[in-house]
Amino acid sequence: MKKIGAEILIGCLKEQGVKTVFGYPGGTVLDIYDALYRDGKIRHVITAHEQGAAHAADAYARTTGRTGVVIATSGPGATNLVTGLATAFMDSVPVVAITGNVGLNFLGRDSFQEIDITGITLPITKHNFIVKDVKDLAATVREAFVIANTGRKGPVLVDILKNVQIAQTEYEPQTPAAPVHKPVPAGALEEAARLIDAAKRPLIMTGGGAIASEASAELFALAEKLDAPVASTLMGLGAFPASHPLFCGMMGMHGTHTAAKICMESDCIIALGTRFSDRVALNRDQFAKNKTVVQIDIDNAEIDKNVFVTCSVLGDLKEALKTLLPMVGCVKDRPFAKTAQAYKAQEANGGKPREFGHKILTEAAKLARDCVVATDVGQHQMWTAQHFPLEKPRTLCTSGGLGTMGYGMGAAIGAAFGSGKHVLLVTGDGSFNMNLNELSTAVTENLPITVLLMNNRALGMVRQWQKLFYARRFSQTVVNKKTDYVKFAESFGATGLRIETEEDIVPVLKKAFSINAPVLVECVIGEDENVLPMIKPGQTYDTIITEWEEK
């Protein structure tokens, strides 16, 4: 049957099982929004800003495992998606962005709100398209979803000219094509199994790829079969249960002492869906020196990029682990696992959190066990990673690769729609001020979101670096805004609460979590509360461990 392009787009979205989209209307997407209205089958969430919509689509994808969809108009609407697309790109999140553009006759003439969004987003998307002929539209949209989910996942942008949205062509619904995964090389797995069996002190290091490939069950089985300690990158948190005796915590610059010690003492690192970023490997020349490294990753570009490996396996992690599991031997009561557990117990007995912000988050973690957790970026992000024992995958939404301040509020909205659960957003005053407009969206949609605003009146993480490495020259990091955040929340229609003393912590948090609607809790903390440990890039784990032990 014949349909106009806007109707074909909506039909293709429904083919892909899309139930919710995020976006903001404008001139070049009016026909798309009209088709959405007339169809009435897809829920559209209008945010306060297109960046918030992009982050919402991102978090929707992270919490569901499905593709997030965002729609924006041309010009500033499209460019406002850029940070959100870059965030999804760096963290391998499947998002399809739909933008409108001027008609073909106006293209290239600097028309009103015309922008070359495909040129702008080329480095921060897996692929992008500009659709100039309605006959190409359905095939392009379908291909966009396949690309977003094939191999290493990521965002794809489809720019649809105005004339395409109103032109007619034949359209027949199709069953969505499944993502194509190349078979995992058997020879590489055999070599990996041999190296793993030869190791006396293996460490499993898991990253975001374990969550993206839905490989948590296989990861769990491998760790228990090998009796091997498990450490996680920030993006991998939740892939392996934090309560498991083999879990050593987060690796890297702000990771646990246990993870750092076990990494240093291991003779074999089994890297699963992780790219050895500079925040994890720290010093690429020293990180895995004299160790066997087995890396399983779906992206060939990540093999030997940051750390040179002994054996690499290219392929989907879940499929690779399924094949690898029967190939490795079973080990019981491995001494190295007991060593890890001893380090973990020693670290846990290091005393209760002394700083006020840490105490607040420790109590919040107890009340948020069934919540999805979102964060912005900064000190509060690392405190959350350290204090929240995540037990399941897809329960943390945070910007790891790009480190996007302003991610949190949009992400909390997307996570609420995606998960159907209460969402806890941990943010700082610096990050929150970048996207506080999205609190209005949360109120409009009456979403169960509790915002913990860690207000130290400063850009805490940057200030901490200035304190430690720039002789306390606090250049533009003590912002000291005069905003009354409780009144601000109330003016938007949310509940506003405040924590100022230790006596406030438990009753205020209990009240906040009892409300099934947006709540903002301002947590007034000191400007000198630090994220510890703090490892400077380029340092090695053995150097920093010596410093910790001396202290």
Side-chain angles (χ1 to χ4, degrees):
M1 69 179 73
K2 280 196 171 184
K3 289 193 174 186
I4 63 170
E7 294 169 337
I8 290 170
L9 170 64
I10 303 309
C12 288
L13 293 180
K14 291 195 296 184
E15 286 176 15
Q16 301 294 328
V18 174
K19 299 286 194 296
T20 302
V21 300
F22 304 87
Y24 206 99
T28 64
V29 288
L30 282 176
D31 293 290
I32 293 173
Y33 274 84
D34 186 59
L36 269 172
Y37 181 91
R38 286 185 285 108
D39 181 80
K41 299 292 188 347
I42 297 175
R43 180 170 192 171
H44 180 279
V45 179
I46 181 170
T47 54
H49 189 280
E50 290 92 349
Q51 182 179 342
H55 293 324
D58 167 302
Y60 183 91
R62 294 189 200 227
T63 53
T64 63
R66 300 191 296 273
T67 307
V69 178
V70 60
I71 302 173
T73 193
S74 60
T79 57
N80 283 343
L81 298 179
V82 168
T83 299
L85 291 173
T87 301
F89 183 73
M90 291 289 283
D91 288 346
S92 307
V93 180
V95 170
V96 170
I98 308 293
T99 55
N101 214 328
V102 299
L104 186 61
N105 291 339
F106 295 92
L107 201 63
R109 299 185 179 187
D110 292 333
S111 303
F112 178 67
Q113 291 192 333
E114 179 191 356
I115 200 75
D116 179 13
I117 194 61
T118 56
I120 289 170
T121 60
L122 185 63
I124 55 166
T125 53
K126 281 191 71 179
H127 196 77
N128 60 34
F129 301 88
I130 180 167
V131 185
K132 299 179 180 180
D133 189 328
V134 70
K135 293 177 182 177
D136 299 327
L137 180 58
T140 301
V141 174
R142 290 163 183 156
E143 188 178 358
F145 277 85
V146 172
I147 292 172
N149 289 281
T150 295
R152 182 173 180 172
K153 299 181 181 184
V156 178
L157 181 137
V158 182
D159 194 36
I160 307 174
L161 301 192
K162 181 78 170 174
N163 58 284
V164 172
Q165 298 172 33
I166 58 177
Q168 283 191 335
T169 193
E170 292 292 331
Y171 167 74
E172 291 296 333
Q174 292 183 8
T175 302
V180 179
H181 296 303
K182 294 180 180 179
V184 182
L189 284 171
E190 290 170 1
E191 174 66 4
R194 185 186 67 78
L195 292 170
I196 291 169
D197 282 342
K200 301 297 182 186
R201 301 182 303 282
L203 168 66
I204 296 174
M205 196 172 103
T206 183
I211 295 173
S213 66
E214 309 286 356
S216 291
E218 290 76 16
L219 166 63
F220 188 94
L222 181 66
E224 292 211 320
K225 187 171 186 180
L226 297 178
D227 197 25
V230 178
S232 176
T233 68
L234 173 66
M235 298 309 303
L237 290 173
F240 191 82
S243 61
H244 197 287
L246 289 171
F247 188 63
C248 297
M250 186 173 70
M251 287 282 297
M253 181 180 289
H254 302 295
T256 65
H257 297 187
T258 301
K261 286 182 178 181
I262 287 300
C263 179
M264 186 181 70
E265 295 174 12
S266 66
D267 62 358
C268 175
I269 296 175
I270 307 167
L272 306 180
T274 180
R275 61 190 178 90
F276 297 111
S277 77
D278 58 302
R279 293 298 174 104
V280 172
L282 305 178
N283 184 320
R284 64 168 288 173
D285 296 324
Q286 298 295 321
F287 174 73
K289 192 174 183 179
N290 301 322
K291 300 181 192 297
T292 298
V293 180
V294 176
Q295 183 179 11
I296 304 178
D297 202 278
I298 201 166
D299 186 357
N300 190 51
E302 296 299 344
I303 305 297
D304 286 331
K305 184 173 85 174
N306 293 320
V307 170
F308 293 110
V309 303
T310 315
C311 171
S312 62
V313 179
L314 183 64
D316 178 73
L317 182 59
K318 185 179 184 72
E319 296 305 313
L321 291 182
K322 280 182 179 179
T323 306
L324 180 65
L325 271 165
M327 299 170 70
V328 296
C330 183
V331 179
K332 299 291 185 184
D333 299 320
R334 190 187 292 273
F336 191 53
K338 296 186 185 305
T339 300
Q341 289 162 18
Y343 287 156
K344 187 176 177 181
Q346 183 181 13
E347 188 170 358
N349 292 331
K352 295 181 179 179
R354 291 168 292 177
E355 293 183 315
F356 191 41
H358 291 210
K359 292 178 180 179
I360 294 170
L361 289 178
T362 298
E363 291 301 322
K366 297 175 184 177
L367 295 169
R369 294 195 186 279
D370 295 325
C371 293
V372 171
V373 179
T375 80
D376 264 297
V377 171
Q379 287 178 314
H380 65 273
Q381 178 189 32
M382 295 299 105
W383 290 334
T384 303
Q386 292 171 346
H387 288 286
F388 280 69
L390 299 171
E391 296 293 309
K392 296 177 181 178
R394 304 199 179 281
T395 54
L396 175 66
C397 295
T398 194
S399 173
L402 195 64
T404 305
M405 292 178 68
Y407 171 78
M409 199 66 230
I413 291 165
F417 278 105
S419 69
K421 294 184 176 181
H422 199 117
V423 176
L424 171 64
L425 167 61
V426 184
T427 185
D429 52 310
S431 286
F432 186 69
N433 273 283
M434 290 187 173
N435 68 354
L436 48 76
N437 50 352
E438 295 302 345
L439 184 61
S440 65
T441 307
V443 171
T444 299
E445 300 291 344
N446 196 35
L447 299 175
I449 297 174
T450 299
V451 180
L452 286 188
L453 172 57
M454 312 303 288
N455 185 9
N456 60 1
R457 300 158 301 284
L459 305 180
M461 185 66 88
V462 188
R463 185 180 184 279
Q464 180 173 328
W465 277 67
Q466 290 174 339
K467 179 166 53 180
L468 296 176
F469 306 124
Y470 291 85
R472 304 182 72 87
R473 294 188 295 275
F474 298 127
S475 177
Q476 303 304 312
T477 52
V478 182
V479 292
N480 202 24
K481 290 187 183 295
K482 307 304 180 186
T483 308
D484 184 326
Y485 290 103
V486 171
K487 289 182 179 178
F488 164 77
E490 291 171 346
S491 74
F492 268 33
T495 300
L497 304 170
R498 182 177 287 119
I499 294 175
E500 295 182 276
T501 68
E502 288 197 26
E503 290 71 27
D504 295 335
I505 295 175
V506 173
V508 170
L509 288 178
K510 284 185 175 179
K511 181 177 180 180
F513 280 99
S514 71
I515 299 172
N516 200 39
V519 179
L520 186 147
V521 182
E522 180 187 10
C523 305
V524 182
I525 65 173
E527 63 182 14
D528 280 314
E529 296 195 24
N530 295 320
V531 173
L532 296 173
M534 172 76 177
I535 308 176
K536 192 175 181 181
Q539 282 187 284
T540 58
Y541 280 108
D542 54 349
T543 302
I544 204 68
I545 288 168
T546 300
E547 293 178 7
W548 288 336
E549 290 177 344
E550 286 175 353
K551 291 176 183 178

